[in-house]
Amino acid sequence: MKRFLTALFFFVLLIAAWHWAYARRIWSPVLVPSPESVVRYIWEIALDGSLWSSTVVTMKRLVAGYFIGLLAGVPLGFLTARVQALRDTVGVLALGLQGLPSVCWVPLALLWFGQTESAMLFVVVMGTLWSVILATETGVRNVNPIYIRAARTMGSSGLHTWVNVMLPASLPFIVSGMKQGWAFAWRSLMAAEIYVTIITGFGLGHLLHYGRELNAMEQVVAIMLVIVLIGLLADKILFSPFEKFLHRRWGTEK
Amino acid sequence: MTLAHGLSAPTSAHLAIEKVSKWFETSRGPVHALDNVSLQVAEGEFVCLVGPSGCGKSTLLNMIAGLEMPGQGSVVAAGQPVKEPSRARMMMFQEAALFPWLDAFGNVMFSLKRKPGLTDAERRDVAEYYLKLVGLEKFMHANIHELSGGMKQRVALARALAPNPRVLLMDEPFAALDAMTREQLYGDLQRIWKQRNVTIVFVTHNVREAVSLGDRVVLFSPHPGRIREEFTVTLPRPRDINSVEVAGYATRITRALKDHMEHGAGI
């Protein structure tokens, strides 16, 4: 409760300062809109439905690409950890491509797929995949070998050991890889949506883009706010349960 | 009684190690870990393997477990050559090797879930039975990081006993514990050994520990690992590790160990 009040106080102060700066006309209202106008804009797009429809479009792209990246990345990470030849090939590729800012995939995706959903999906997958591969590989290689020996004496082998020992034992690493992959995917999708118009669906990035085109600063700020909120929400929904489990079981709680 | 199946006994657990030798490849060339080692263990016997580091006693234990294969010679358990790990021969390690993603109960269930022919309800009963046997009924759903070192080894003991093995292989399981906790566990282990009538091969470098636990103490010397001498301990049980009698045996064994070491250094 005390933590919540501290946070509340901080944000109220922040908005008050913003309002004060607006009221004193320190900067042009075109550049710094009032908090009220931003709230009013969010209210309007919430009422006319465009807030929800564009959020849905963006989230569909993100979630689909993210899970494809996850479903491919975890097994690939397992394989690169266990097979030397794959580590020297796919592992090195992953390391290299993870270092590539994922927005750099946008031009390539556009040339390959045109202005389509496939291009968006591709960008998100590329953002997720490499981080997840690398984190999973690190996790598997850090599994204490005594767990595997103990599991073998208890009659576990092959696939059973992979699923019931290697996977949970490397979970702390995999979850941090999932978080990084999510962050990369989210950033690259926003970049793609801002720069490319996809006729099959207008996402949040497009609203941001049109805000700039129309010089509507309250729209730009409002959409940025929505994007921030979605990021926080995703963290709570997607990763908090995993992290709570890890803290409880591994005892890493501060 | 639902426990009946889980606790039902046994085929013969006689262990026969015949002329076993083992070499390891290392970056500095091959290391001769064991040289022509033969050892018989009777069913229900408690045998302690003692010796300094590098005498191959842990290697031998791993071979009995089926985690490693002999270079030469054979390991036979209950009349069958050992080719792979089996629930008939469970192992305990110096680190408890418990899975941190499961609670105490989940760890014991892990070994039971791989055992066929039981219903889940029976597995739960058996897991509870063994956690009670090691005195942890209040900590069934504790997370592993919340347990003390001694409690962790108790969970590991319950986990090893749960599939009802005929042989329990223990690789310095108490070496990392404090003296008080260790003495408690000596008592518990002897009680459980009698009650479950299990064969135990126990590796340690602590001679007193070996004397207070074993029916027989087998002395190893290193480089390469060889059996030097065997001592039968006839003291009545339960034994107190601090007693004069245990100290007497231990002194004799330690002296023999030093003799062999000095001889060994001369070769």
Side-chain angles (χ1 to χ4, degrees):
Chain A
M1 194 59 199
K2 189 171 167 239
R3 285 169 59 203
F4 174 76
L5 288 177
T6 313
L8 189 71
F9 179 70
F10 171 75
F11 286 106
V12 167
L13 206 67
L14 201 65
I15 293 167
W18 174 12
H19 184 84
W20 178 82
Y22 168 79
R24 292 286 305 271
R25 291 287 189 274
I26 295 179
W27 298 285
S28 154
V30 178
L31 296 182
V32 179
S34 68
E36 294 89 335
S37 67
V38 169
V39 172
R40 200 178 315 117
Y41 174 74
I42 294 181
W43 184 247
E44 277 167 20
I45 57 173
L47 284 182
D48 76 11
S50 57
L51 172 63
W52 315 116
S53 63
S54 52
T55 302
V56 166
V57 165
T58 297
M59 291 314 283
K60 265 188 186 163
R61 289 169 180 163
L62 187 65
V63 169
Y66 183 64
F67 281 98
I68 291 173
L70 215 56
L71 287 178
V74 171
L76 273 172
F78 267 53
L79 288 171
T80 52
R82 300 296 286 187
V83 184
Q84 181 72 50
L86 284 176
R87 196 180 315 150
D88 296 340
T89 53
V90 179
V92 173
L93 188 73
L95 196 64
L97 292 182
Q98 191 223 21
L100 181 73
S102 37
V103 63
C104 299
W105 288 104
V106 175
L108 183 141
L110 288 172
L111 290 174
W112 276 6
F113 300 102
Q115 283 163 270
T116 62
E117 290 296 325
S118 308
M120 295 286 131
L121 200 65
F122 181 77
V123 168
V124 174
V125 172
M126 289 300 113
T128 313
L129 184 66
W130 313 111
S131 313
V132 173
I133 291 180
L134 289 175
T136 309
E137 183 195 317
T138 311
V140 171
R141 294 184 67 189
N142 276 287
V143 172
N144 189 341
I146 202 151
Y147 292 155
I148 298 158
R149 291 161 67 85
R152 281 183 67 200
T153 64
M154 290 186 277
S156 171
S157 61
L159 192 64
H160 185 271
T161 307
W162 287 84
V163 175
N164 293 283
V165 183
M166 304 292 258
L167 185 66
S170 41
L171 202 60
F173 287 90
I174 295 177
V175 170
S176 69
M178 280 165 66
K179 287 189 82 162
Q180 197 184 36
W182 172 265
F184 285 175
W186 186 221
R187 283 159 177 67
S188 53
L189 178 63
M190 278 305 116
E193 282 192 350
I194 287 169
Y195 290 112
V196 185
T197 306
I198 305 292
I199 316 99
T200 45
F202 291 94
L204 290 168
H206 301 120
L207 286 181
L208 199 55
H209 175 71
Y210 291 126
R212 183 188 67 88
E213 299 260 286
L214 302 169
N215 270 338
M217 193 48 116
E218 74 276 7
Q219 178 172 349
V220 170
V221 173
I223 299 299
M224 283 171 69
L225 210 61
V226 170
I227 291 171
V228 166
L229 287 175
I230 290 177
L232 286 174
L233 210 63
D235 196 271
K236 281 272 168 281
I237 294 170
L238 278 174
F239 306 117
S240 271
F242 279 117
E243 289 182 324
K244 277 193 183 134
F245 172 78
L246 292 179
H247 287 324
R248 186 160 52 84
R249 284 289 202 234
W250 268 257
T252 44
E253 190 91 60
K254 284 126 264 173
Chain B
M1 181 71 193
T2 48
L3 286 179
H5 192 105
L7 302 181
S8 73
T11 47
S12 163
H14 186 82
L15 296 174
I17 293 123
E18 289 290 344
K19 298 196 172 99
V20 163
S21 295
K22 177 83 178 175
W23 292 263
F24 286 112
E25 289 300 329
T26 69
S27 52
R28 280 168 293 156
V31 168
H32 198 176
L34 280 172
D35 181 40
N36 201 24
V37 167
S38 295
L39 179 70
Q40 312 281 319
V41 181
E43 171 140 28
E45 196 180 9
F46 198 139
V47 174
C48 293
L49 312 183
V50 185
S53 318
C55 71
K57 54 196 193 299
S58 293
T59 306
L60 184 61
L61 204 68
N62 285 334
M63 285 188 217
I64 302 173
L67 290 169
E68 279 171 35
M69 291 299 124
Q72 277 176 18
S74 68
V75 177
V76 175
Q80 298 291 320
V82 172
K83 294 204 183 77
E84 57 186 4
S86 151
R87 273 180 300 276
R89 299 180 307 279
M90 292 294 282
M91 183 128 175
M92 259 181 86
F93 305 91
Q94 181 176 343
E95 328 165 42
L98 298 173
F99 300 147
W101 57 93
L102 300 171
D103 59 12
F105 183 79
N107 269 279
V108 179
M109 284 296 278
F110 188 98
S111 65
L112 284 164
K113 278 188 185 149
R114 299 303 292 160
K115 183 169 173 152
L118 293 171
T119 67
D120 267 352
E122 284 169 337
R123 291 194 175 101
R124 283 169 194 286
D125 286 348
V126 174
E128 276 183 26
Y129 171 86
Y130 281 102
L131 280 165
K132 277 183 192 145
L133 189 71
V134 297
L136 287 180
E137 58 269 42
K138 290 201 182 108
F139 295 92
M140 288 207 191
H141 296 289
N143 296 312
I144 299 308
H145 70 89
E146 295 163 340
L147 301 175
S148 69
M151 287 156 98
K152 281 182 190 153
Q153 283 300 12
R154 285 169 193 272
V155 176
L157 181 60
R159 181 173 76 169
L161 288 169
N164 197 25
R166 300 314 308 140
V167 180
L168 193 56
L169 305 166
M170 308 180 83
D171 191 359
E172 304 197 35
F174 306 143
L177 304 179
D178 65 85
M180 295 273 274
T181 310
R182 234 175 9 226
E183 281 179 38
Q184 276 179 0
L185 281 162
Y186 293 151
D188 290 345
L189 180 61
Q190 292 183 72
R191 169 176 61 85
I192 290 166
W193 166 65
K194 268 288 159 224
Q195 195 177 335
R196 304 292 314 133
N197 189 33
V198 60
T199 308
I200 298 183
V201 183
F202 189 105
V203 163
T204 176
H205 56 252
N206 181 337
V207 176
R208 273 183 177 235
E209 180 173 86
V211 171
S212 55
L213 290 174
D215 294 325
R216 195 149 49 107
V217 177
V218 180
L219 183 60
F220 280 68
S221 69
H223 315 300
R226 287 188 179 127
I227 292 183
R228 283 299 175 171
E229 217 169 327
E230 290 190 15
F231 301 83
T232 305
V233 184
T234 50
L235 297 173
R237 293 174 188 273
R239 298 171 190 158
D240 177 3
I241 192 167
N242 299 313
S243 72
V244 181
E245 294 80 4
V246 167
Y249 267 99
T251 310
R252 269 173 52 207
I253 296 173
T254 308
R255 197 177 298 137
L257 181 66
K258 278 185 185 152
D259 283 353
H260 293 308
M261 292 290 280
E262 278 154 22
H263 276 282
I267 295 169

